[in-house]
Amino acid sequence: MFLDAVLHRNPELVACAAELHDSGAIPPDTYVMDLDAIESNAELLAREADRLGLSLWFVVKQIGRNPELIEAIARHIPQFAAIDPPEARILNAAGAQPGNLGHLVQIPARVLPEMLAWRPETVTVYDLANARAVSDAATRLGFVQDVLIRLEGAAGAVYPGQEGGVRLGGADDGPECAAGLDGLDGPDGLDAFVAEAERLPGIRVAGVTAFPCVLCDPETGEPRPTANFALARTAVERLTARGYTDLKLSAPSATSMATLPLLARLGATHGEPGHALTGTTPLHAVDHTQPEQPAYVYVSEVAHTLADGRPALHGGGFYARGDAREALIPRTGARLRVEEAPAANIDYYRLLAPGDARVGDTAVLAFRTQIFVTRSSVAVVSGLSSGTPKLSGLYDPLGRPY
């Protein structure tokens, strides 16, 4: 998906990754990250967001929750959005500031005292039960916690496994509906939810969020707002009518240099860059003029060859939605097609089309990933921008150094 982009924009990274593997410095099934490029991308995004009056919370699940990369990004984008408590702990330990917790995974009630003590800017809540839990924990800690209301997504605009949130409800779902909410954990319309939340002493409604709010067209890469973004804008209008001011609207997904103006125009206050930090949004795959530089490749090795001539690569990092298409064999210069594999299969190997490759050959690929759900290694390389590349660290996919 991104092989052409990285060969065009960052060929030094491809050469360095191949050399590291050929020399034995890194094993197969390793993502090689260009620290300089990632920091440069973070600086670009921060500068553009500031120009547009937007705030950013960065996300690192896709790059393996890596402490070196977190530190580099946080020099320019200080605050993070963490998808779950393990990620939040790594980000916090690396010195980044908590911007939004509970972003995609609700904070378990037993973990709330630990994480609220960090004083995050906001906590996302999906329902009244979580709002009450946050309020109780914050009250015990002696402060009021700002919360974002996660909205239930529009039909057909939510990824499976990410369901939940407060439904917008009709305009007539007013405070009178709140009387029947005691003991009810499920959402019953935004106005009714807010009426109940206003009774909780440990939280303050600070805004809304939804996911995904922007998606890229699969063919052209053009970013477009989703129906969820429209829901979020309506929710802000509804809250404003209730007297709320200075509301936050975080509009995550596909946040990049190309979409920041879109977020600002549609009234968002916050974006959450993830793949833009590595130049790997779908737009970057088709438009090599985007400002962010491609900043990682995946390196593996030919493990064996089938009787029909198809090479099999060591697996472990082939994310099911990654859309891996070609593998470069640096020894020969061959670019071999990556065969499709059912998502239900265990990622032991990945087959290539027959070509000029033999057992032990290095293979370099570039595709969309979420490293935290792989079993890959993560190699961080610094100095590529100055022509003095150095392997600065080797980590597991959850950010722990080897």
Side-chain angles (χ1 to χ4, degrees):
M1 184 177 183
F2 295 105
L3 187 57
D4 283 336
V6 73
L7 285 170
H8 176 68
R9 297 286 308 282
N10 198 352
E12 297 84 4
L13 173 59
V14 176
C16 177
E19 182 179 343
L20 286 171
H21 180 260
D22 286 343
S23 70
I26 62 173
D29 181 27
T30 295
Y31 285 94
V32 182
M33 318 297 294
D34 181 344
L35 179 68
D36 298 2
I38 289 172
E39 180 162 3
S40 175
N41 291 340
E43 185 177 12
L44 280 174
L45 289 159
R47 189 184 308 126
E48 178 68 356
D50 185 63
R51 184 184 73 83
L52 294 167
L54 292 167
S55 297
L56 298 179
W57 295 322
F58 72 91
V59 179
V60 295
K61 61 189 174 69
Q62 73 288 344
I63 55 174
R65 303 174 173 176
N66 188 278
E68 280 193 72
L69 303 180
I70 290 168
E71 291 174 9
I73 296 164
R75 284 193 279 271
H76 306 281
I77 306 172
Q79 291 187 300
F80 64 81
I83 66 154
D84 60 19
E87 180 169 292
R89 290 187 182 103
I90 292 168
L91 284 153
N92 186 64
Q97 301 169 19
N100 184 22
L101 305 182
H103 161 68
L104 289 178
V105 178
Q106 290 287 268
I107 305 173
R110 294 166 184 81
V111 180
L112 280 167
E114 171 196 357
M115 296 196 169
L116 294 191
W118 303 342
R119 300 303 303 268
E121 182 178 350
T122 60
V123 170
T124 294
V125 293
Y126 282 49
D127 57 21
L128 279 172
N130 279 279
R132 291 184 182 118
V134 173
S135 176
D136 291 345
T139 299
R140 288 193 294 270
L141 290 168
F143 60 85
V144 176
Q145 174 63 57
D146 279 0
V147 298
L148 296 184
I149 301 170
R150 159 67 177 252
L151 297 169
E152 181 180 77
V158 178
Y159 295 121
Q162 298 183 24
E163 300 88 353
V166 176
R167 69 181 180 87
L168 189 61
D172 296 329
D173 287 347
E176 65 275 12
C177 298
L181 288 178
D182 286 341
L184 179 65
D185 291 339
D188 193 29
L190 176 66
D191 292 313
F193 177 93
V194 173
E196 182 71 4
E198 288 172 345
R199 301 177 182 180
L200 300 174
I203 63 170
R204 185 185 78 90
V205 173
V208 301
T209 188
F211 188 85
C213 287
V214 178
L215 290 177
C216 296
D217 182 276
E219 297 299 324
T220 66
E222 180 185 357
R224 298 172 181 168
T226 69
N228 297 332
F229 206 150
L231 285 176
R233 296 177 69 193
T234 300
V236 168
E237 292 171 1
R238 197 84 68 78
L239 290 172
T240 301
R242 291 182 66 95
Y244 285 88
T245 59
D246 298 323
L247 290 166
K248 296 177 173 66
L249 194 174
S250 183
S253 187
T255 303
S256 67
M257 292 289 286
T259 64
L260 287 174
L262 173 68
L263 298 190
R265 177 170 57 82
L266 294 181
T269 61
H270 289 69
E272 301 182 9
H275 273 285
L277 296 166
T278 49
T280 51
T281 77
L283 179 59
H284 291 84
V286 297
D287 183 355
H288 301 170
T289 67
Q290 287 301 303
E292 300 96 333
Q293 186 177 16
Y296 72 75
V297 293
Y298 179 67
V299 178
S300 195
E301 177 179 314
V302 177
H304 59 279
T305 304
L306 276 61
D308 60 10
R310 288 180 293 170
L313 299 182
H314 286 287
F318 287 99
Y319 176 59
R321 291 166 52 197
D323 197 17
R325 298 178 184 177
E326 281 189 306
L328 170 68
I329 309 298
R331 182 184 62 83
T332 64
R335 291 178 61 167
L336 307 183
R337 178 175 52 83
V338 178
E339 296 196 350
E340 293 185 7
N345 281 20
I346 296 176
D347 178 20
Y348 294 122
Y349 302 102
R350 194 64 178 268
L351 293 175
L352 306 180
D356 194 357
R358 65 192 184 199
V359 170
D361 271 350
T362 297
V364 180
L365 303 91
F367 50 86
R368 190 172 173 86
T369 191
Q370 297 284 331
I371 293 175
F372 82 113
V373 299
T374 74
R375 59 181 191 274
S376 305
S377 300
V378 177
V380 178
V381 174
S382 61
L384 273 170
S385 62
S386 61
T388 56
K390 173 187 175 183
L391 177 62
S392 60
L394 190 62
Y395 301 82
D396 76 5
L398 298 180
R400 295 169 295 203
Y402 289 126

